[in-house]
Amino acid sequence: MPGNRLSLDIPIVQGGMGVGVSLGGLAGAVAAAGGAGTISTAQIGFREPDFALHPIQANLRAIGKEIKKAKEIAKGRGLVGVNIMTVTKQYGEYVREAVRQGADFIVSGAGLPMDIPALTKGSAVLRIPIVSSKKAADVICRRWMKRDGVVPDAVVIEGPKAGGHLGFTAEEAKNTTEAGYEEEEKRIISFLREFGEAHKTYIPVITAGGFRTARDWKRQQALGADAIQVATRFVVTEECDADLRFKEAYVKCKKEDIAIIKSPVGMPGRAIRTPFIQEAEQKRIPPQHCYQCISVCSPSKTPYCITQALIRAVSGDVENGLVFCGANAWQEDKITTVDRVIREILG
């Protein structure tokens, strides 16, 4: 990747997965292999003893713990960063804490991360927004340049086959074909190349959404991607921070078990239709406690508590939880390792 600061031995970025799916263990293992390991900050402190009473403080404390753990595993190789959703309550505090704790990069989506440059001013952290359209890329790049005089250090282009929250409507996520989205991907890449050239820099492109094979990587490379983001494949690794039963949910699921759901965040998301999700589709499940997770949540109206559902799942109570996944999770058939996944993708 000429003329940029995103220096990786291998062109793989591990996608951030919360709650608790990609913490220091998984991120550190991917970084140790020469890639970029991403820690999800979504309710990252759920194992802290004071989480229920002081969730934000617990999360901020855990950010430092998980970054330290990942960097100890990585032993100086690769990059270790965090994913922070723009809808996170006290978003600025999370960003500043990640910088203070030495994150190499911050990936931010679930909205337009307009404030990242100001919040990270004076630091060496790499700023990486997530986009799903040329319009979003255009708005972010021009706003960052006008207000802060900077361009993104890289951009993640996330397609409709991604897992978790999606930057598409439910219909778009269901109906957009791979070939159809490639045209939008080309438009985004073309814009980023032109914008970078106009500002005498190079903006690396990381594409994401359902990639799992060497063929996928070669296709994305041909389209102009500098690296790919992979998430689902890393869930079924020994190094993944989730409970074994969470990983087995991927191994056991069938294609028809994966659906686009309406998330309490207000965005569509892709998940396995567990008994909990099937129940939530039929009736509201009132939250028992507010964990101060996202700014767009109204506890009196939300269909269920996403924090509780995600924590139950990642802790092993899959049937009573929310299991986000990518469109191709049904193709995972065994528990493997980070090194094997990387070798298979690079061919």
Side-chain angles (χ1 to χ4, degrees):
M1 301 181 211
N4 69 83
R5 297 194 295 136
L6 186 69
S7 178
L8 294 171
D9 293 336
I10 61 170
I12 293 178
V13 176
Q14 165 249 314
M17 297 170 283
V19 169
V21 180
S22 64
L23 297 175
L26 177 57
V30 174
T38 309
I39 296 164
S40 169
T41 65
Q43 302 297 57
I44 188 173
F46 73 100
R47 294 192 180 110
E48 293 290 301
D50 60 339
F51 175 69
L53 291 176
H54 308 291
I56 292 175
Q57 292 92 323
N59 289 336
L60 293 173
R61 190 185 318 125
I63 287 173
K65 290 182 179 180
E66 296 299 333
I67 290 175
K68 181 181 178 182
K69 178 180 177 180
K71 292 205 168 191
E72 286 174 351
I73 294 170
K75 292 183 170 63
R77 290 203 70 197
L79 297 175
V80 171
V82 297
N83 178 295
I84 309 174
M85 296 188 298
T86 61
V87 292
T88 301
K89 279 194 176 180
Q90 306 298 325
Y91 175 74
E93 289 189 45
Y94 285 68
V95 172
R96 285 188 286 266
E97 185 62 16
V99 170
R100 194 174 77 83
Q101 296 295 340
D104 295 319
F105 62 89
I106 296 174
V107 175
S108 196
L112 303 182
M114 295 306 192
D115 297 328
I116 282 280
L119 290 168
T120 59
K121 188 175 181 179
S123 76
V125 72
L126 302 173
R127 312 170 184 102
I128 307 176
I130 300 173
V131 304
S132 293
S133 67
K134 176 182 176 291
K135 180 180 179 180
D138 191 312
V139 169
I140 290 169
C141 286
R142 295 189 192 283
R143 184 74 63 84
W144 283 21
M145 179 53 65
K146 182 178 180 180
R147 279 180 23 181
D148 303 284
V150 301
V151 301
D153 293 296
V155 172
V156 174
I157 302 175
E158 195 167 85
K161 288 188 176 182
H165 294 114
L166 305 171
F168 303 87
T169 66
E171 285 303 306
E172 287 172 336
K174 288 177 183 176
N175 300 328
T176 302
T177 64
E178 187 172 340
Y181 188 68
E182 281 189 357
E183 292 306 309
E184 182 67 5
E185 187 181 314
K186 289 177 187 176
R187 285 190 283 270
I188 299 170
I189 293 174
S190 177
F191 165 75
L192 292 173
R193 295 289 174 259
E194 292 172 6
F195 192 85
E197 186 175 342
H199 295 284
K200 296 181 173 56
T201 190
Y202 183 86
I203 305 173
V205 171
I206 304 160
T207 54
F211 306 140
R212 61 185 312 278
T213 67
R215 182 179 178 183
D216 291 334
W217 162 231
K218 288 174 183 174
R219 176 59 184 166
Q220 292 304 304
Q221 199 173 21
L223 290 170
D226 299 286
I228 56 172
Q229 178 176 285
V230 178
T232 291
R233 290 217 61 190
F234 286 123
V235 171
V236 293
T237 61
E238 294 171 4
E239 296 91 342
C240 176
D241 298 279
D243 186 274
L244 177 60
R245 288 165 290 185
F246 185 96
K247 303 173 189 182
E248 288 175 341
Y250 278 48
V251 173
K252 294 175 182 177
C253 80
K254 299 179 177 61
K255 189 174 184 178
E256 56 268 26
D257 296 328
I258 300 172
I260 304 296
I261 66 167
K262 184 177 180 181
S263 163
V265 172
M267 301 169 68
R270 180 173 280 109
I272 295 174
R273 291 190 74 245
T274 62
F276 172 81
I277 290 301
Q278 294 175 49
E279 181 183 358
E281 290 172 342
Q282 302 301 317
K283 65 177 184 179
R284 181 171 182 261
I285 305 172
Q288 301 301 307
H289 181 77
C290 179
Y291 294 91
Q292 303 292 309
C293 61
I294 51 178
S295 58
V296 294
C297 178
S298 173
S300 64
K301 297 177 182 177
T302 188
Y304 58 87
C305 176
I306 191 169
T307 288
Q308 290 174 327
L310 289 168
I311 289 175
R312 283 195 294 265
V314 79
S315 301
D317 187 6
V318 173
E319 291 195 350
N320 295 302
L322 170 57
V323 181
F324 279 137
C325 68
N328 295 323
W330 61 277
Q331 295 186 49
E332 304 306 325
D333 59 3
K334 63 182 180 299
I335 306 298
T336 182
T337 67
V338 163
D339 282 341
R340 287 194 200 108
V341 168
I342 289 173
R343 285 200 304 269
E344 289 170 11
I345 292 172
L346 295 184

